[in-house]
Amino acid sequence: MLRVLKKLYVAVFILVLFIPFLLAHREENRVAEGENRYYANVPRFFEEDGRINLEYIQDFEAWINDNARFRSLFREIKVTALYKVFNYLDLEDARVGTNLELYGSNENEINTMQGRNLLSDQDLNTYEKNLYQLQTWLQSQNIDFYYMQCYHKITVLDESYPKGLVRYNTEYIGENTEKYIAGKNRVNIVPLHEIMKTTAKNQNIYFRYTDWCHWNDAGMYLGYERLMQEIAKKHPTVEGLTMDDYNFKPVSMYRDVYGFLYPLEENYEIYEIKEKHAEKKETALNDRLYTKSWTNYFVNPEKEKKVLVINDSFVDMGMKYHIAECFNECMTMELTNLLNIGWLVEEYKPDIVVLECVETNITRVQEMLEELECIKQ
């Protein structure tokens, strides 16, 4: 009898181990909406070319972890319990600030807060020189250049950053870099640091709970307005949108954290363009670009001039539509395409090039500038 019970126990144990496999989702390309990504697909033992998949075990683990039934329910229970009992939000790369707003906390953001990624004096000199050489190269082809450096919520609203981080008496990389470039007075830079810091004291210009990095529409318009003002100094026919060109729509929402709703409500206004004239179209250049999903090409027959914008998420989230209303042609693309600037200028033939990056991406831009052959000639 005992032997029978032992065998039964082993059988039940094996069955329990196989339940997640038997009940796991098998749909291709399922979207994890609460996590802003795709779930792992069913692993394949053989690659498309017939070779054995040497990473099958890792792929299998990723698939089971993502697709086991009731995963979302258990994740929601876990997140809710941790927040209710320990006041801890189990959200990757984000923490709760002293004002209960969400702040970025990945390695790059922590290094920024501690000043560990500040450019050395030599690197500052090289960075400014490379930007200036890029500007000079573009000017030789009758193209104007503008460098717009945006600011992360963590540094603009740093007084409420989550407790526990060792802070040093130092500037942040963005402020330090902008100050150096502006001081040289050679690169056409769009100065944003002072206006962002000053405005943030009296106005909500960053998302509080639904996003822990980006500006909201009010903050976006500050950057957009300053960019268009700088461009208008040399191109007076290029006019930016004014407050009269918008409808302001109030929005209220809550941050979803794997099914758990963060209990504080996000309230802000959407800057809705009243009359849109720029039409989004396809471009053959897209096939040769990095991160193709970020490529946007607009045509506006009511305007003049062509602009090329190489940017990160601070432009891509919404500013691209506002810029497009001001130009006959507007193409925006992900930051890595700075490496393609040589052939892009030759084929797209813009009148203006804008390079935008948030301060936490400065080192990325620094590395790409070093690789550009066109500015070494």
Side-chain angles (χ1 to χ4, degrees):
M1 183 65 180
L2 184 58
R3 293 178 63 185
V4 173
L5 289 175
K6 286 183 178 180
K7 291 180 180 179
L8 181 61
Y9 175 80
V10 171
V12 171
F13 180 75
I14 294 174
L15 179 62
V16 169
L17 290 179
F18 270 89
I19 285 178
F21 171 77
L22 295 173
L23 298 181
H25 293 280
R26 286 170 169 77
E27 302 94 324
E28 293 285 306
N29 300 320
R30 286 201 314 129
V31 177
E33 296 181 358
E35 302 173 48
N36 193 30
R37 67 180 181 88
Y38 287 100
Y39 289 122
N41 287 327
V42 178
R44 302 182 187 281
F45 192 72
F46 293 100
E47 303 283 7
E48 292 182 359
D49 58 5
R51 293 182 300 171
I52 295 176
N53 178 9
L54 299 179
E55 298 183 353
Y56 180 83
I57 294 177
Q58 297 94 314
D59 292 346
F60 183 87
E61 289 179 353
W63 171 65
I64 282 294
N65 289 337
D66 272 0
N67 294 280
R69 297 282 179 174
F70 310 116
R71 173 185 182 275
S72 298
L73 175 61
F74 289 132
R75 188 68 187 267
E76 181 179 345
I77 292 173
K78 174 190 173 186
V79 172
T80 303
L82 286 173
Y83 185 80
K84 296 291 186 181
V85 178
F86 300 104
N87 198 32
Y88 171 76
L89 190 65
D90 184 24
L91 181 58
E92 187 176 1
D93 293 338
R95 294 292 180 268
V96 179
T98 58
N99 57 358
L100 300 184
E101 294 187 15
L102 300 187
Y103 284 82
S105 62
N106 65 27
E107 183 179 1
N108 191 13
E109 290 158 338
I110 290 175
N111 286 339
T112 298
M113 293 301 295
Q114 294 186 317
R116 294 181 181 274
N117 57 1
L118 277 170
L119 300 184
S120 67
D121 290 344
Q122 180 179 346
D123 286 340
L124 278 171
N125 180 67
T126 302
Y127 191 60
E128 190 275 343
K129 183 184 72 174
N130 285 337
L131 287 172
Y132 181 65
Q133 288 177 333
L134 176 58
Q135 176 176 286
T136 302
W137 175 72
L138 289 169
Q139 286 175 338
S140 70
Q141 302 175 70
N142 297 314
I143 300 171
D144 279 326
F145 172 76
Y146 297 88
Y147 174 68
M148 182 168 73
Q149 191 174 279
C150 297
Y151 290 87
H152 199 295
K153 176 182 176 179
I154 59 176
T155 64
V156 174
L157 299 173
D158 60 341
E159 67 277 2
S160 299
Y161 197 76
K163 293 180 178 179
L165 182 74
V166 176
R167 306 280 288 275
Y168 303 101
N169 185 24
T170 180
E171 289 183 330
Y172 302 122
I173 186 173
E175 177 186 7
N176 184 255
T177 304
E178 180 184 305
K179 186 185 299 183
Y180 184 87
I181 294 173
K184 285 283 190 175
N185 198 29
R186 299 197 302 174
V187 175
N188 296 328
I189 188 171
V190 181
L192 287 182
H193 182 263
E194 183 177 353
I195 192 172
M196 297 302 292
K197 287 289 289 187
T198 302
T199 306
K201 294 178 181 178
N202 303 306
Q203 184 181 357
N204 179 27
I205 58 175
Y206 285 86
F207 289 106
R208 294 178 172 178
Y209 316 115
T210 56
D211 189 305
W212 49 90
C213 169
H214 296 100
W215 51 26
N216 58 24
D217 278 23
M220 177 279 299
Y221 184 77
L222 279 179
Y224 165 77
E225 183 180 45
R226 185 55 62 91
L227 170 65
M228 299 311 301
Q229 288 172 348
E230 290 296 321
I231 292 176
K233 291 177 181 178
K234 291 187 177 181
H235 303 271
T237 60
V238 178
E239 298 180 350
L241 299 174
T242 68
M243 288 295 189
D244 293 334
D245 295 312
Y246 296 102
N247 290 318
F248 302 94
K249 298 179 61 175
V251 173
S252 298
M253 63 177 66
Y254 289 88
R255 169 72 197 192
D256 184 294
V257 185
Y258 313 124
F260 167 71
L261 293 183
Y262 190 65
L264 296 177
E265 187 176 37
E266 183 84 65
N267 295 291
Y268 67 101
E269 286 186 323
I270 292 177
Y271 283 40
E272 184 179 71
I273 302 171
K274 290 180 180 178
E275 298 182 15
K276 292 184 178 181
H277 301 286
E279 181 181 356
K280 188 173 180 179
K281 298 194 174 185
E282 298 294 324
T283 170
L285 298 180
N286 193 39
D287 292 338
R288 299 163 60 187
L289 298 173
Y290 298 113
T291 317
K292 298 175 178 57
S293 60
W294 281 43
T295 303
N296 298 272
Y297 174 59
F298 303 91
V299 176
N300 183 355
E302 299 191 5
K303 297 295 182 179
E304 303 175 1
K305 299 190 182 296
K306 297 172 66 172
V307 65
L308 172 66
V309 186
I310 301 174
N311 56 265
D312 57 28
S313 55
F314 273 69
V315 162
D316 189 69
M317 283 184 67
M319 190 190 291
K320 59 192 177 189
Y321 301 109
H322 304 256
I323 296 174
E325 291 297 318
C326 308
F327 294 91
N328 178 254
E329 292 182 51
C330 171
M331 186 179 295
T332 68
M333 58 190 62
E334 196 269 332
L335 191 59
T336 312
N337 288 291
L338 177 59
L339 296 170
N340 293 323
I341 189 70
W343 66 262
L344 274 170
V345 164
E346 181 179 349
E347 298 195 24
Y348 182 60
K349 296 180 170 53
D351 299 296
I352 296 168
V353 170
V354 177
L355 173 60
E356 176 272 321
C357 75
V358 67
E359 59 188 318
T360 48
N361 274 331
I362 288 174
T363 52
R364 279 186 63 200
V365 175
Q366 177 189 28
E367 293 169 358
M368 287 188 284
L369 287 171
E370 288 292 317
E371 295 186 38
L372 293 185
E373 294 297 328
C374 61
I375 67 175
K376 298 177 182 178
Q377 299 173 357

